[in-house]
Amino acid sequence: CSTLLTSVKALNILVPGGTGTIAKELFPLLSSHKITVLTRNAFLAATPTRVSSDFGHLGSSFLSANPHVSLRDWDGGDLLDIVGQDWMGWQQDTLPKADIILNLVGGGYTEQRVMATERLVRESLSFAPTDVAFITVSPTEEDIKVHSKGMYPTKLKRLQLCEDMVTQNCRGETYCLRCDMFDTKALCEQICEVVGKIEKSKE
């Protein structure tokens, strides 16, 4: 993956939900690009140690070691449950300069994932360039069966709904990745491969 990253043109990658395990392994591999993480609480995501399991956390040491990564509060798609202090205007601040939207919100496929995806798609149509690429990262059907037995039909329906929202509405390239969410290394390699394809298409 690292061979992708010697870019002539650094891409602006917008990553909603980029405060978990995947992000921590992925972001150092994308060091030649500029990454903006949309998080529901940027302050808590950047504290030296994690203070709440309710919110994602990258940590101050990780951010210091990866200066190409910055944080931005957003509403998370749920206007009734806003917790960040500076969420207003995230669309105008981030979407107009985005080359890629990489959606990592809610791997558990709760309603939060659906609301966040709808919000991203709707706002990207208003503010993002017409050629912005959209990558969704989802678990495989087998993963859902094994780890969400009682919720399998509901979660699979949400997963498909999120993918359909992206493919049917976004104007640029769309990539819907179905990944083994427990093989972080392979997942990151898949994402890097797609980023490399998008990078070449924009040369």
Side-chain angles (χ1 to χ4, degrees):
C1 178
S2 59
T3 57
L4 301 174
L5 309 177
T6 53
S7 312
V8 175
K9 176 184 182 294
L11 300 179
N12 287 303
I13 305 176
L14 187 63
V15 189
T19 53
T21 303
I22 296 171
K24 285 186 175 180
E25 187 158 333
L26 175 65
F27 292 168
L29 301 176
L30 298 172
S31 59
S32 62
H33 302 299
K34 182 177 181 182
I35 296 173
T36 302
V37 175
L38 294 181
T39 172
R40 294 175 66 234
N41 195 310
F43 175 78
L44 292 181
T47 53
T49 57
R50 191 168 191 168
V51 297
S52 173
S53 60
D54 292 332
F55 301 100
H57 181 256
L58 290 177
S60 56
S61 59
F62 178 87
L63 293 169
S64 295
N66 294 275
H68 63 295
V69 179
S70 61
L71 304 177
R72 177 69 166 88
D73 279 325
W74 79 310
D75 52 60
D78 188 354
L79 296 176
L80 299 179
D81 187 28
I82 296 171
V83 293
Q85 297 298 308
D86 189 28
W87 63 273
M88 293 184 67
W90 68 266
Q91 308 96 318
Q92 295 92 332
D93 289 350
T94 61
L95 287 170
K97 55 192 175 184
D99 295 300
I100 298 173
I101 299 171
L102 170 60
N103 189 6
L104 296 180
V105 172
Y109 276 84
T110 62
E111 278 297 322
Q112 176 65 31
R113 169 76 177 211
V114 178
M115 289 189 291
T117 302
E118 182 178 4
R119 183 82 160 136
L120 287 165
V121 171
R122 187 184 303 277
E123 297 299 339
S124 69
L125 292 173
S126 297
F127 295 100
T130 56
D131 65 344
V132 66
F134 207 117
I135 305 171
T136 64
V137 179
S138 309
T140 63
E141 290 188 32
E142 188 60 33
D143 276 350
I144 299 174
K145 280 182 182 178
V146 171
H147 299 286
S148 304
K149 293 179 181 178
M151 292 290 291
Y152 171 69
T154 299
K155 290 194 174 185
L156 185 61
K157 183 178 178 181
R158 288 173 182 160
L159 184 157
Q160 191 62 57
L161 176 60
C162 290
E163 291 183 343
D164 288 347
M165 276 193 278
V166 170
T167 58
Q168 294 173 14
N169 294 283
C170 294
R171 297 166 293 189
E173 297 175 86
T174 59
Y175 300 85
C176 297
L177 306 182
R178 298 283 184 96
C179 309
D180 181 349
M181 305 303 282
F182 296 92
D183 188 347
T184 307
K185 181 179 179 181
L187 190 159
C188 290
E189 288 176 354
Q190 283 184 266
I191 295 172
C192 285
E193 183 178 350
V194 173
V195 170
K197 289 179 181 179
I198 296 168
E199 184 181 343
K200 288 181 180 178
S201 73
K202 293 181 179 293
E203 289 179 351

